[in-house]
Amino acid sequence: MHAATQRVMDRVSKLDANQPEYIQAVTSFLSSIDKLVEDMPQILYHKVLDRMVEPERVIMFRIPWFDDDGMIQLNRGFRVQMNSALGPYKGGLRFHPSVNLSILKFLAFEQTFKNSLTGLSLGGGKGGSDFDPKGKSDGEIMRFCQSFMLELGRHIGEDTDVPAGDIGVGGREIGYMYGQYKRIHNKSVGILTGKSPSFGGSFIRPEATGYGLAYLSAAILEAKGKSLENKSCLISGSGNVAQFTTEKLLAMGSKVLTMSDSSGVIIDPSGIDAQKLAYIKTLKNVRRGRIAEYAQKYKEATYIPHDGSATSNPLWDVKADYAFPCATQNEINANDARNLTANKIQLVGEGANMPTTLEAKDILMEAGVLLAPGKASNAGGVAVSGLEMVQNSQRLQWTPAQVDAQLLTIMKNIYANISSTAEKYSTKNNFIDGANIAGFLKISEAMIGQGYV
Ligand code: NDP
Ligand code: 2IT
């Protein structure tokens, strides 16, 4: 590493020593950007990298709420406002017991470059809480969301910071938080995206991350003379991103062999078809049950318990053409990467944020696997969030077909951008470098143009 890049890395490693996910995200980013600094002295002169790795602002607060037994419960809330060089902070809210500052800083950091790649005017941020929605009643979820928004509401705004969903936050939670914001501030404005289309949400926003992942993967494959048609695919997760990735892959003629949740994995050699996917949607979104039930209903499927503690995930050891991690960070480790390459996987399209460890990435890249990094391949969700902001400003609602067509165009543009940037500054097909560098260049220019802020 160039000495100046190393100095930035050392500073983060020292100051944020207890933030492993953040250090991981910064390490991956800086190893791409290192290829630029020799020829772009202005990056070093303006201390762009030093400023970029320091969030503009971090807000932390307590969230008291009453459970159904009338007992007071307490959680911790966060909003990381990472970078506003390109526009209002934008990024999801995650409700999961694992949430801490390291995880939210890594997510806000990734989000900043992802949002740059969309071509829209969006800064980067992320927030959430260590609240665990599992097993909570509707009333408990509502009271928690209302208490969360009571504080978060002071720090966001349609031109300041516009959160959305992420793990544990879907349409239901966004609706409760939106209602509470409107009640407190007496304003009907687009301060959240992912709303229901009945009160200002964009059509296709729920579908957008998964559809976008399929569109970007199709673009990568097309350039290699390949396609998704008649190909077998591994998908992890069974939440928002996994469901709509499956839906679009089926529409494009793929066969989906696997899905999972935080308790285990289902492997269905006969394929998860549209009818089975509809069952999964009801199971996970309405009944909020466990994926294990799938194997009780569909006897041709096998269920393997896997809570992440084993040294490898059986899902990544199923033979297939393409793999789409759509659950959470670091879900593909070095052992999983070795299993994937031994089974001759050709493409890994990241639906989740940072699902692949640094070591696993190296193994996949060395084996020549086409790796579509999350900040490019899952950008469809935030892209349609950006389009929801535009519709809210116009106080208009576009048709599903209009939004889907724009999503497709944005994902094709992202592919063109990351592939040409990889060829120019790194090596052909290194989409990790392509995405980091392309996302960075736009933000860097904006930061230099706006002076030292
Ligand atoms: P959901 O909450 O809808 O679904 C998450 C899925 O991942 C569930 O199946 C869940 O299992 C599983 N999961 C969550 N945490 C873990 C864990 N620690 N170990 C194993 N499995 C886990 O979230 P999304 O689908 O929205 O998000 C999935 C990924 O996609 C995340 O990385 C998110 O940051 C990323 N992403 C999401 C976007 C969006 O628009 N929603 C946009 C871009 C990226 P269980 O049901 O047991 O909880
Ligand atoms: O990781 C992500 O891009 C998201 N969770 C979606 C962010 C958004 O603002 O739509």
Side-chain angles (χ1 to χ4, degrees):
M1 237 184 213
H2 192 279
T5 323
Q6 189 62 51
R7 184 180 45 74
V8 177
M9 193 64 246
D10 290 345
R11 187 163 185 273
V12 172
S13 303
K14 188 170 160 224
L15 291 182
D16 300 326
N18 59 347
Q19 297 179 0
E21 292 85 2
Y22 187 55
I23 290 175
Q24 181 183 340
V26 172
T27 304
S28 172
F29 169 75
L30 286 181
S31 58
S32 297
I33 302 308
D34 197 47
K35 301 183 168 71
L36 296 180
V37 294
E38 200 71 51
D39 298 328
M40 293 187 175
Q42 67 273 29
I43 295 171
L44 302 181
Y45 177 78
H46 292 284
K47 292 262 190 317
V48 173
L49 296 175
D50 306 61
R51 288 191 280 149
M52 240 173 210
V53 298
E54 206 58 60
E56 289 179 16
R57 191 177 297 108
V58 174
I59 300 147
M60 273 179 71
F61 50 96
R62 68 171 181 236
I63 312 159
W65 56 279
F66 280 109
D67 68 18
D68 285 347
D69 298 327
M71 300 298 287
I72 301 167
Q73 299 290 338
L74 197 71
N75 286 95
R76 191 171 273 186
F78 304 86
R79 186 72 182 164
V80 178
Q81 298 183 331
M82 188 57 105
N83 193 306
S84 61
L86 299 186
Y89 308 106
K90 182 86 197 84
L93 297 169
R94 178 176 290 193
F95 292 170
H96 193 273
S98 63
V99 161
N100 58 33
L101 203 50
S102 174
I103 289 180
L104 293 181
K105 277 176 68 184
F106 114 66
L107 287 164
F109 190 69
E110 295 287 288
Q111 192 82 49
T112 300
F113 305 102
K114 179 194 308 190
N115 294 1
S116 168
L117 288 174
T118 64
L120 303 170
S121 301
L122 301 171
K126 203 85 184 192
S129 172
D130 59 0
F131 173 75
D132 186 358
K134 280 204 187 71
K136 302 291 189 299
S137 70
D138 240 20
E140 288 175 323
I141 298 281
M142 189 190 297
R143 289 193 294 279
F144 174 80
C145 287
Q146 290 179 338
S147 185
F148 183 75
M149 185 49 88
L150 191 60
E151 178 58 34
L152 184 72
R154 308 169 200 270
H155 309 288
I156 63 173
E158 69 275 30
D159 295 321
T160 308
D161 184 355
V162 184
D166 192 82
I167 290 177
V169 178
R172 173 181 61 164
E173 292 74 20
I174 292 290
Y176 293 156
M177 287 190 274
Y178 179 79
Q180 177 76 339
Y181 181 94
K182 182 162 58 65
R183 178 192 191 196
I184 298 169
H185 300 268
N186 200 22
K187 274 163 68 173
S188 285
V189 284
I191 45 86
L192 289 169
T193 59
K195 301 181 292 296
S196 160
S198 62
F199 50 88
S202 177
F203 288 112
I204 306 292
R205 175 60 190 88
E207 293 85 347
T209 309
Y211 282 17
L213 174 60
Y215 294 155
L216 188 103
S217 304
I220 290 177
L221 292 168
E222 194 186 319
K224 303 272 167 290
K226 298 179 179 178
S227 79
L228 287 157
E229 213 179 330
N230 296 322
K231 292 292 168 17
S232 53
C233 299
L234 310 177
I235 293 188
S236 66
S238 50
N240 171 274
V241 179
Q243 290 171 17
F244 288 106
T245 302
T246 302
E247 185 168 293
K248 189 52 82 176
L249 290 180
L250 294 180
M252 290 176 147
S254 298
K255 184 174 178 183
V256 175
L257 301 177
T258 63
M259 285 179 94
S260 65
D261 64 15
S262 55
S263 317
V265 166
I266 49 140
I267 301 168
D268 187 342
S270 62
I272 300 168
D273 59 17
Q275 196 192 346
K276 292 169 172 177
L277 176 62
Y279 169 81
I280 288 176
K281 284 186 182 175
T282 308
L283 173 68
K284 298 306 281 187
N285 309 349
V286 183
R287 291 201 284 123
R288 301 187 190 269
R290 310 307 299 155
I291 199 79
E293 288 181 42
Y294 180 99
Q296 287 157 16
K297 181 163 171 69
Y298 299 108
K299 301 291 179 207
E300 60 275 32
T302 310
Y303 173 72
I304 307 175
H306 174 75
D307 63 3
S309 59
T311 52
S312 66
N313 182 343
L315 190 153
W316 304 125
D317 202 11
V318 175
K319 194 163 173 46
D321 297 302
Y322 310 137
F324 299 91
C326 296
T328 193
Q329 64 273 2
N330 291 329
E331 55 170 316
I332 298 183
N333 65 24
N335 291 332
D336 299 318
R338 280 186 210 104
N339 287 337
L340 286 165
T341 53
N343 283 327
K344 304 246 173 333
I345 206 83
Q346 295 166 49
L347 171 139
V348 172
E350 296 184 344
N353 285 303
M354 206 170 75
T356 316
T357 66
L358 292 175
E359 215 187 339
K361 264 183 198 163
D362 288 344
I363 293 167
L364 294 171
M365 294 295 284
E366 269 165 34
V369 175
L370 295 166
L371 182 54
K375 55 174 80 71
S377 51
N378 71 36
V382 75
V384 173
S385 276
L387 301 179
E388 183 168 323
M389 289 164 68
V390 176
Q391 293 169 75
N392 289 167
S393 298
Q394 294 179 319
R395 301 217 181 266
L396 286 174
Q397 192 169 44
W398 305 339
T399 64
Q402 282 174 306
V403 180
D404 197 22
Q406 291 206 46
L407 171 63
L408 179 61
T409 303
I410 289 172
M411 298 315 293
K412 284 184 172 172
N413 289 344
I414 291 176
Y415 171 68
N417 193 4
I418 64 171
S419 56
S420 63
T421 304
E423 278 198 53
K424 183 166 175 197
Y425 295 99
S426 174
T427 42
K428 196 170 174 353
N429 295 337
N430 188 334
F431 303 125
I432 299 177
D433 281 350
N436 281 330
I437 294 171
F440 167 82
L441 286 173
K442 185 176 172 194
I443 301 168
S444 172
E445 193 183 329
M447 284 177 72
I448 293 171
Q450 291 172 37
Y452 307 146
V453 292

